[in-house]
PDB file of all heavy atoms in Angstrom:
ATOM      1  N   SER C  28      77.503 112.631 -14.651  1.00 97.00           N
ATOM      2  CA  SER C  28      76.152 112.344 -14.150  1.00 97.00           C
ATOM      3  C   SER C  28      75.094 112.857 -15.126  1.00 97.00           C
ATOM      4  O   SER C  28      74.077 112.182 -15.359  1.00 97.00           O
ATOM      5  CB  SER C  28      75.971 112.981 -12.784  1.00 97.00           C
ATOM      6  OG  SER C  28      76.821 112.396 -11.828  1.00 97.00           O
ATOM      7  N   GLN C  29      75.319 114.026 -15.684  1.00 98.00           N
ATOM      8  CA  GLN C  29      74.381 114.561 -16.670  1.00 98.00           C
ATOM      9  C   GLN C  29      74.281 113.617 -17.866  1.00 98.00           C
ATOM     10  O   GLN C  29      73.171 113.366 -18.386  1.00 98.00           O
ATOM     11  CB  GLN C  29      74.866 115.939 -17.107  1.00 98.00           C
ATOM     12  CG  GLN C  29      73.945 116.641 -18.120  1.00 98.00           C
ATOM     13  CD  GLN C  29      74.539 117.980 -18.597  1.00 98.00           C
ATOM     14  OE1 GLN C  29      75.536 118.441 -18.057  1.00 98.00           O
ATOM     15  NE2 GLN C  29      73.933 118.548 -19.610  1.00 98.00           N
ATOM     16  N   ALA C  30      75.423 113.099 -18.302  1.00 98.00           N
ATOM     17  CA  ALA C  30      75.417 112.200 -19.441  1.00 98.00           C
ATOM     18  C   ALA C  30      74.700 110.889 -19.112  1.00 98.00           C
ATOM     19  O   ALA C  30      73.891 110.394 -19.918  1.00 98.00           O
ATOM     20  CB  ALA C  30      76.854 111.914 -19.886  1.00 98.00           C
ATOM     21  N   LEU C  31      74.967 110.315 -17.971  1.00 98.00           N
ATOM     22  CA  LEU C  31      74.357 109.051 -17.598  1.00 98.00           C
ATOM     23  C   LEU C  31      72.841 109.170 -17.504  1.00 98.00           C
ATOM     24  O   LEU C  31      72.111 108.238 -17.862  1.00 98.00           O
ATOM     25  CB  LEU C  31      74.924 108.539 -16.271  1.00 98.00           C
ATOM     26  CG  LEU C  31      76.418 108.175 -16.284  1.00 98.00           C
ATOM     27  CD1 LEU C  31      76.861 107.723 -14.911  1.00 98.00           C
ATOM     28  CD2 LEU C  31      76.719 107.092 -17.309  1.00 98.00           C
ATOM     29  N   ARG C  32      72.369 110.302 -17.042  1.00 97.00           N
ATOM     30  CA  ARG C  32      70.914 110.502 -16.920  1.00 97.00           C
ATOM     31  C   ARG C  32      70.238 110.703 -18.292  1.00 97.00           C
ATOM     32  O   ARG C  32      69.019 110.566 -18.394  1.00 97.00           O
ATOM     33  CB  ARG C  32      70.627 111.686 -16.008  1.00 97.00           C
ATOM     34  CG  ARG C  32      70.969 111.423 -14.535  1.00 97.00           C
ATOM     35  CD  ARG C  32      70.446 112.534 -13.615  1.00 97.00           C
ATOM     36  NE  ARG C  32      70.685 112.208 -12.228  1.00 97.00           N
ATOM     37  CZ  ARG C  32      71.750 112.576 -11.523  1.00 97.00           C
ATOM     38  NH1 ARG C  32      72.676 113.310 -12.108  1.00 97.00           N
ATOM     39  NH2 ARG C  32      71.883 112.225 -10.272  1.00 97.00           N
ATOM     40  N   LYS C  33      71.022 111.022 -19.290  1.00 98.00           N
ATOM     41  CA  LYS C  33      70.450 111.224 -20.635  1.00 98.00           C
ATOM     42  C   LYS C  33      70.211 109.911 -21.373  1.00 98.00           C
ATOM     43  O   LYS C  33      69.475 109.857 -22.345  1.00 98.00           O
ATOM     44  CB  LYS C  33      71.383 112.133 -21.436  1.00 98.00           C
ATOM     45  CG  LYS C  33      70.812 112.549 -22.791  1.00 98.00           C
ATOM     46  CD  LYS C  33      71.779 113.431 -23.568  1.00 98.00           C
ATOM     47  CE  LYS C  33      71.183 113.766 -24.935  1.00 98.00           C
ATOM     48  NZ  LYS C  33      72.130 114.574 -25.773  1.00 98.00           N
ATOM     49  N   LEU C  34      70.852 108.844 -20.937  1.00 98.00           N
ATOM     50  CA  LEU C  34      70.754 107.572 -21.633  1.00 98.00           C
ATOM     51  C   LEU C  34      69.332 107.008 -21.596  1.00 98.00           C
ATOM     52  O   LEU C  34      68.571 107.236 -20.652  1.00 98.00           O
ATOM     53  CB  LEU C  34      71.709 106.561 -20.993  1.00 98.00           C
ATOM     54  CG  LEU C  34      73.209 106.846 -21.123  1.00 98.00           C
ATOM     55  CD1 LEU C  34      74.005 105.980 -20.128  1.00 98.00           C
ATOM     56  CD2 LEU C  34      73.676 106.582 -22.538  1.00 98.00           C
ATOM     57  N   GLU C  35      69.005 106.225 -22.602  1.00 98.00           N
ATOM     58  CA  GLU C  35      67.721 105.533 -22.638  1.00 98.00           C
ATOM     59  C   GLU C  35      67.805 104.171 -21.947  1.00 98.00           C
ATOM     60  O   GLU C  35      66.796 103.583 -21.612  1.00 98.00           O
ATOM     61  CB  GLU C  35      67.245 105.369 -24.069  1.00 98.00           C
ATOM     62  CG  GLU C  35      66.893 106.699 -24.743  1.00 98.00           C
ATOM     63  CD  GLU C  35      66.275 106.532 -26.107  1.00 98.00           C
ATOM     64  OE1 GLU C  35      65.913 105.381 -26.473  1.00 98.00           O
ATOM     65  OE2 GLU C  35      66.169 107.542 -26.843  1.00 98.00           O
ATOM     66  N   LEU C  36      69.037 103.667 -21.767  1.00 98.00           N
ATOM     67  CA  LEU C  36      69.235 102.421 -21.026  1.00 98.00           C
ATOM     68  C   LEU C  36      70.614 102.464 -20.361  1.00 98.00           C
ATOM     69  O   LEU C  36      71.619 102.658 -21.019  1.00 98.00           O
ATOM     70  CB  LEU C  36      69.157 101.214 -21.957  1.00 98.00           C
ATOM     71  CG  LEU C  36      69.456  99.865 -21.269  1.00 98.00           C
ATOM     72  CD1 LEU C  36      68.380  99.523 -20.259  1.00 98.00           C
ATOM     73  CD2 LEU C  36      69.601  98.746 -22.314  1.00 98.00           C
ATOM     74  N   LEU C  37      70.612 102.282 -19.037  1.00 98.00           N
ATOM     75  CA  LEU C  37      71.865 102.154 -18.280  1.00 98.00           C
ATOM     76  C   LEU C  37      71.755 100.914 -17.428  1.00 98.00           C
ATOM     77  O   LEU C  37      70.844 100.769 -16.605  1.00 98.00           O
ATOM     78  CB  LEU C  37      72.088 103.396 -17.406  1.00 98.00           C
ATOM     79  CG  LEU C  37      73.294 103.349 -16.459  1.00 98.00           C
ATOM     80  CD1 LEU C  37      74.594 103.134 -17.247  1.00 98.00           C
ATOM     81  CD2 LEU C  37      73.396 104.607 -15.614  1.00 98.00           C
ATOM     82  N   VAL C  38      72.679  99.980 -17.655  1.00 98.00           N
ATOM     83  CA  VAL C  38      72.728  98.722 -16.917  1.00 98.00           C
ATOM     84  C   VAL C  38      74.043  98.642 -16.175  1.00 98.00           C
ATOM     85  O   VAL C  38      75.106  98.947 -16.740  1.00 98.00           O
ATOM     86  CB  VAL C  38      72.613  97.512 -17.875  1.00 98.00           C
ATOM     87  CG1 VAL C  38      72.689  96.205 -17.099  1.00 98.00           C
ATOM     88  CG2 VAL C  38      71.333  97.576 -18.685  1.00 98.00           C
ATOM     89  N   THR C  39      73.996  98.252 -14.906  1.00 97.00           N
ATOM     90  CA  THR C  39      75.238  98.040 -14.172  1.00 97.00           C
ATOM     91  C   THR C  39      75.303  96.580 -13.715  1.00 97.00           C
ATOM     92  O   THR C  39      74.302  95.985 -13.329  1.00 97.00           O
ATOM     93  CB  THR C  39      75.357  98.938 -12.929  1.00 97.00           C
ATOM     94  OG1 THR C  39      74.225  98.737 -12.077  1.00 97.00           O
ATOM     95  CG2 THR C  39      75.423 100.391 -13.337  1.00 97.00           C
ATOM     96  N   ILE C  40      76.516  96.035 -13.795  1.00 96.00           N
ATOM     97  CA  ILE C  40      76.801  94.698 -13.287  1.00 96.00           C
ATOM     98  C   ILE C  40      77.821  94.870 -12.174  1.00 96.00           C
ATOM     99  O   ILE C  40      78.948  95.311 -12.415  1.00 96.00           O
ATOM    100  CB  ILE C  40      77.383  93.816 -14.409  1.00 96.00           C
ATOM    101  CG1 ILE C  40      76.427  93.753 -15.599  1.00 96.00           C
ATOM    102  CG2 ILE C  40      77.670  92.408 -13.892  1.00 96.00           C
ATOM    103  CD1 ILE C  40      77.016  93.115 -16.842  1.00 96.00           C
ATOM    104  N   ASP C  41      77.444  94.564 -10.950  1.00 95.00           N
ATOM    105  CA  ASP C  41      78.306  94.895  -9.827  1.00 95.00           C
ATOM    106  C   ASP C  41      77.903  94.092  -8.603  1.00 95.00           C
ATOM    107  O   ASP C  41      76.922  93.317  -8.628  1.00 95.00           O
ATOM    108  CB  ASP C  41      78.216  96.394  -9.518  1.00 95.00           C
ATOM    109  CG  ASP C  41      79.555  96.972  -9.060  1.00 95.00           C
ATOM    110  OD1 ASP C  41      80.126  96.424  -8.114  1.00 95.00           O
ATOM    111  OD2 ASP C  41      79.985  97.972  -9.655  1.00 95.00           O
ATOM    112  N   LEU C  42      78.646  94.294  -7.515  1.00 95.00           N
ATOM    113  CA  LEU C  42      78.332  93.676  -6.246  1.00 95.00           C
ATOM    114  C   LEU C  42      77.557  94.630  -5.341  1.00 95.00           C
ATOM    115  O   LEU C  42      76.772  94.203  -4.497  1.00 95.00           O
ATOM    116  CB  LEU C  42      79.608  93.261  -5.516  1.00 95.00           C
ATOM    117  CG  LEU C  42      80.546  92.283  -6.237  1.00 95.00           C
ATOM    118  CD1 LEU C  42      81.796  92.068  -5.395  1.00 95.00           C
ATOM    119  CD2 LEU C  42      79.872  90.971  -6.527  1.00 95.00           C
ATOM    120  N   PHE C  43      77.813  95.930  -5.506  1.00 96.00           N
ATOM    121  CA  PHE C  43      77.291  96.925  -4.579  1.00 96.00           C
ATOM    122  C   PHE C  43      76.610  98.067  -5.344  1.00 96.00           C
ATOM    123  O   PHE C  43      76.865  98.283  -6.532  1.00 96.00           O
ATOM    124  CB  PHE C  43      78.426  97.498  -3.729  1.00 96.00           C
ATOM    125  CG  PHE C  43      79.159  96.460  -2.931  1.00 96.00           C
ATOM    126  CD1 PHE C  43      80.364  95.919  -3.389  1.00 96.00           C
ATOM    127  CD2 PHE C  43      78.651  96.003  -1.726  1.00 96.00           C
ATOM    128  CE1 PHE C  43      81.031  94.950  -2.664  1.00 96.00           C
ATOM    129  CE2 PHE C  43      79.316  95.018  -0.990  1.00 96.00           C
ATOM    130  CZ  PHE C  43      80.525  94.493  -1.464  1.00 96.00           C
ATOM    131  N   MET C  44      75.773  98.792  -4.643  1.00 97.00           N
ATOM    132  CA  MET C  44      75.050  99.907  -5.237  1.00 97.00           C
ATOM    133  C   MET C  44      75.984 101.127  -5.292  1.00 97.00           C
ATOM    134  O   MET C  44      76.039 101.948  -4.391  1.00 97.00           O
ATOM    135  CB  MET C  44      73.804 100.222  -4.402  1.00 97.00           C
ATOM    136  CG  MET C  44      72.886 101.282  -5.013  1.00 97.00           C
ATOM    137  SD  MET C  44      72.270 100.903  -6.665  1.00 97.00           S
ATOM    138  CE  MET C  44      71.112  99.581  -6.297  1.00 97.00           C
ATOM    139  N   THR C  45      76.718 101.259  -6.392  1.00 96.00           N
ATOM    140  CA  THR C  45      77.653 102.337  -6.577  1.00 96.00           C
ATOM    141  C   THR C  45      76.930 103.621  -7.005  1.00 96.00           C
ATOM    142  O   THR C  45      75.734 103.607  -7.265  1.00 96.00           O
ATOM    143  CB  THR C  45      78.668 101.970  -7.665  1.00 96.00           C
ATOM    144  OG1 THR C  45      77.961 101.816  -8.904  1.00 96.00           O
ATOM    145  CG2 THR C  45      79.376 100.666  -7.323  1.00 96.00           C
ATOM    146  N   ASP C  46      77.694 104.703  -7.128  1.00 97.00           N
ATOM    147  CA  ASP C  46      77.103 105.963  -7.603  1.00 97.00           C
ATOM    148  C   ASP C  46      76.537 105.789  -9.011  1.00 97.00           C
ATOM    149  O   ASP C  46      75.510 106.363  -9.346  1.00 97.00           O
ATOM    150  CB  ASP C  46      78.155 107.066  -7.608  1.00 97.00           C
ATOM    151  CG  ASP C  46      78.553 107.504  -6.218  1.00 97.00           C
ATOM    152  OD1 ASP C  46      77.872 107.072  -5.269  1.00 97.00           O
ATOM    153  OD2 ASP C  46      79.509 108.263  -6.076  1.00 97.00           O
ATOM    154  N   THR C  47      77.219 105.031  -9.850  1.00 98.00           N
ATOM    155  CA  THR C  47      76.721 104.765 -11.206  1.00 98.00           C
ATOM    156  C   THR C  47      75.469 103.928 -11.154  1.00 98.00           C
ATOM    157  O   THR C  47      74.473 104.210 -11.852  1.00 98.00           O
ATOM    158  CB  THR C  47      77.793 104.064 -12.045  1.00 98.00           C
ATOM    159  OG1 THR C  47      78.970 104.847 -12.077  1.00 98.00           O
ATOM    160  CG2 THR C  47      77.307 103.818 -13.473  1.00 98.00           C
ATOM    161  N   ALA C  48      75.486 102.891 -10.314  1.00 98.00           N
ATOM    162  CA  ALA C  48      74.337 101.995 -10.219  1.00 98.00           C
ATOM    163  C   ALA C  48      73.080 102.719  -9.769  1.00 98.00           C
ATOM    164  O   ALA C  48      71.972 102.378 -10.185  1.00 98.00           O
ATOM    165  CB  ALA C  48      74.655 100.843  -9.270  1.00 98.00           C
ATOM    166  N   LYS C  49      73.235 103.724  -8.921  1.00 98.00           N
ATOM    167  CA  LYS C  49      72.064 104.447  -8.430  1.00 98.00           C
ATOM    168  C   LYS C  49      71.294 105.125  -9.568  1.00 98.00           C
ATOM    169  O   LYS C  49      70.102 105.381  -9.452  1.00 98.00           O
ATOM    170  CB  LYS C  49      72.503 105.502  -7.403  1.00 98.00           C
ATOM    171  CG  LYS C  49      72.985 104.921  -6.088  1.00 98.00           C
ATOM    172  CD  LYS C  49      73.514 106.003  -5.166  1.00 98.00           C
ATOM    173  CE  LYS C  49      74.076 105.407  -3.877  1.00 98.00           C
ATOM    174  NZ  LYS C  49      74.687 106.430  -3.001  1.00 98.00           N
ATOM    175  N   MET C  50      71.988 105.427 -10.665  1.00 98.00           N
ATOM    176  CA  MET C  50      71.328 106.087 -11.796  1.00 98.00           C
ATOM    177  C   MET C  50      70.853 105.095 -12.853  1.00 98.00           C
ATOM    178  O   MET C  50      70.287 105.473 -13.871  1.00 98.00           O
ATOM    179  CB  MET C  50      72.308 107.084 -12.443  1.00 98.00           C
ATOM    180  CG  MET C  50      72.561 108.310 -11.580  1.00 98.00           C
ATOM    181  SD  MET C  50      73.673 109.477 -12.396  1.00 98.00           S
ATOM    182  CE  MET C  50      75.241 108.837 -11.874  1.00 98.00           C
ATOM    183  N   ALA C  51      71.085 103.799 -12.621  1.00 98.00           N
ATOM    184  CA  ALA C  51      70.822 102.780 -13.651  1.00 98.00           C
ATOM    185  C   ALA C  51      69.337 102.437 -13.721  1.00 98.00           C
ATOM    186  O   ALA C  51      68.554 102.704 -12.801  1.00 98.00           O
ATOM    187  CB  ALA C  51      71.642 101.541 -13.371  1.00 98.00           C
TER     188      ALA C  51
END
């Protein structure tokens, strides 16, 4: 989670709002 929040761009392709998608 710390790493994902450090990104300058996070894109998710999915059907549902996953834990990863919430940070996108």
Side-chain angles (χ1 to χ4, degrees):
S28 295
Q29 182 184 351
L31 295 178
R32 291 190 175 93
K33 187 181 177 183
L34 294 164
E35 294 186 12
L36 176 66
L37 175 58
V38 179
T39 57
I40 304 169
D41 215 307
L42 302 176
F43 302 97
M44 186 59 71
T45 64
D46 289 351
T47 303
K49 290 174 183 176
M50 290 182 272

